[in-house]
Amino acid sequence: MRRSLVSALVVFVALFTFAIGAFAKPIVIKFSFVVAMDTPKGQAAQYFAKIVKERTHGKVIVKIYPNAMLYDDRAAIEALQMGALQMACPATAKFTGWIPELQLFDLPFLFKNTKHLHKVEEGPVGKKLLNLFRRKGMLGLAFWDNGFKVLSNNKHPIVLPKDCKGLKFRIMSSRVLAAQFKALGASPQVLPFSEVYSALEQGVVDGCENPWSNLYTKKFYEVAPYTTETYHGYLGYVLVTNAKFWDSLPPKIRKILDQCVEDATRYEWKLAAELTKKQRALVLKDPKVKDVILTPAQREIWRKTLVKIYPQFYKTIGKDLIEEAIKEGQGL
Ligand code: LMR
């Protein structure tokens, strides 16, 4: 009699625990960004949401908000710090007001190629930079890729730096990017990503700098059809979360999410390389687009003009950090 009572109690407790588990509210991660879904960031965010749901059996749900539908990047960083948003993936340039050292990534002609970039990100320089997020109440989880930037404008073809003289270029909120355009004799103007198309259309700015994926998915080439393949600088992201939120996750869940971040990052890097090629070809298919490909000698003129701005940032970014990053590219 006593034994059957105990067994009944065990079954009851098991059922009760299961019921609580089954009806417990999932942890929701709101993930906001400014680009479209068919970009490397958008696709990788979707992949991340999928594997998180699968691997946590629905205990964690990632809700995605693309195209700045919730926040532009500045507002997203603020919302993240306040805990209203759990994930974002702004361009490194957007963190200038919080972590100015991240402007390292904006320095023109710093990275020889993607291999060099990834070596820096995965090495001591990348680790040092990600560690700086905690002091701002955030966690830098990973670096995500987009690509090297091309210039586009609606005035005339740009072949040499002197062709930028007098043009107004939209930039992200980075002092390095402002200095870069000033070194070209152009006027930089900070604008949110969501305003770039109309700013080009209405003549607020004459041009912008973007990787192919952003140029294609936001159709900037329709309103700035002179493209120049300078690849003078890089645009990439930091996947960030609120530190308190991430720290408060149950350890088992956190372990799964950490692995999902790692897997989504590998996926994103691969995708960025593929989409860059694909979307470049799609832009160049438009007969209105007039593309300039630089000769190595012409590109060297750009490099010499733009690396002159480095000393202005030795203090903010750290001369050592810049030199360490340059050294990682030796022999690549
Ligand atoms: C920009 O503002 O140009 C970029 O931050 C957009 C993006 O997220 O790629």
Side-chain angles (χ1 to χ4, degrees):
M1 177 67 181
R2 188 185 249 186
R3 190 175 280 174
S4 59
L5 211 86
V6 170
S7 333
L9 197 69
V10 168
V11 172
F12 174 76
V13 170
L15 281 174
F16 185 70
T17 315
F18 174 76
I20 288 188
F23 294 113
K25 271 201 182 152
I27 298 167
V28 175
I29 295 180
K30 286 204 258 168
F31 186 176
S32 159
F33 49 87
V34 297
V35 291
M37 277 298 206
D38 51 344
T39 55
K41 183 159 53 182
Q43 303 263 300
Q46 275 178 295
Y47 177 73
F48 177 69
K50 178 175 167 287
I51 58 176
V52 165
K53 190 173 173 202
E54 281 167 9
R55 295 181 194 175
T56 64
H57 305 288
K59 288 196 185 81
V60 183
I61 300 292
V62 181
K63 287 193 178 163
I64 299 172
Y65 301 90
N67 293 313
M69 61 194 276
L70 269 194
Y71 304 107
D72 71 27
D73 278 324
R74 186 183 174 82
I77 297 171
E78 286 165 0
L80 194 95
Q81 285 185 302
M82 288 187 307
L85 183 71
Q86 290 70 42
M87 252 187 184
C89 198
T92 48
K94 303 282 175 68
F95 291 100
T96 299
W98 289 267
I99 304 167
E101 294 88 338
L102 273 185
Q103 290 173 103
L104 174 88
F105 290 98
D106 297 329
L107 286 172
F109 292 96
L110 181 73
F111 303 108
K112 288 183 174 167
N113 47 38
T114 312
K115 211 167 168 187
H116 179 191
L117 166 82
H118 288 165
K119 205 170 157 211
V120 170
E121 290 178 338
E122 299 205 295
V125 173
K127 285 201 180 75
K128 264 183 227 165
L129 289 170
L130 288 185
N131 282 340
L132 298 176
F133 280 83
R134 208 175 249 286
R135 70 178 187 207
K136 298 291 173 189
M138 297 182 270
L139 279 187
L141 297 171
F143 290 105
W144 279 15
D145 272 356
N146 192 323
F148 288 88
K149 294 176 286 188
V150 301
L151 289 177
S152 53
N153 87 97
N154 51 29
K155 293 290 183 214
H156 51 72
I158 291 174
V159 180
L160 291 173
K162 65 176 171 56
D163 301 327
C164 294
K165 235 188 177 80
L167 294 183
K168 290 173 281 176
F169 280 92
R170 176 267 172 174
I171 56 162
M172 297 185 280
S173 52
S174 149
R175 296 204 184 93
V176 170
L177 298 180
Q180 170 190 278
F181 281 105
K182 281 183 192 155
L184 295 173
S187 323
Q189 190 160 335
V190 176
L191 283 176
F193 189 62
S194 55
E195 290 174 24
V196 178
Y197 188 99
S198 59
L200 286 165
E201 198 174 30
Q202 291 161 18
V204 175
V205 290
D206 308 309
C208 52
E209 51 166 10
N210 284 283
W212 285 110
S213 175
N214 289 359
L215 201 65
Y216 172 70
T217 52
K218 289 294 175 190
K219 300 191 184 327
F220 295 148
Y221 59 93
E222 287 180 355
V223 280
Y226 296 107
T227 55
T228 308
E229 303 193 32
T230 45
Y231 303 122
H232 57 283
Y234 170 75
L235 189 154
Y237 313 106
V238 181
L239 181 66
V240 274
T241 186
N242 174 289
K244 263 195 202 148
F245 165 74
W246 207 256
D247 290 343
S248 72
L249 292 169
K252 255 190 183 167
I253 294 279
R254 170 143 181 197
K255 200 167 164 220
I256 297 173
L257 292 190
D258 283 336
Q259 189 58 52
C260 290
V261 165
E262 206 175 313
D263 295 348
T265 300
R266 297 292 142 199
Y267 176 82
E268 205 272 348
W269 285 13
K270 195 166 162 278
L271 203 70
E274 287 167 11
L275 283 182
T276 295
K277 265 196 196 153
K278 199 172 131 194
Q279 294 177 329
R280 172 184 179 271
L282 289 169
V283 172
L284 298 186
K285 239 169 122 178
D286 187 319
K288 286 192 294 301
V289 172
K290 303 283 173 251
D291 190 49
V292 173
I293 296 178
L294 302 177
T295 64
Q298 286 166 341
R299 200 158 175 269
E300 183 55 18
I301 297 174
W302 284 85
R303 197 190 65 77
K304 279 193 177 142
T305 308
L306 292 178
V307 295
K308 284 188 191 143
I309 69 167
Y310 282 27
Q312 288 178 50
F313 298 95
Y314 282 164
K315 212 163 150 219
T316 333
I317 298 172
K319 191 167 184 252
D320 291 356
L321 208 71
I322 298 174
E323 283 170 353
E324 222 177 320
I326 293 172
K327 227 165 123 193
E328 294 279 16
Q330 275 172 7
L332 290 179

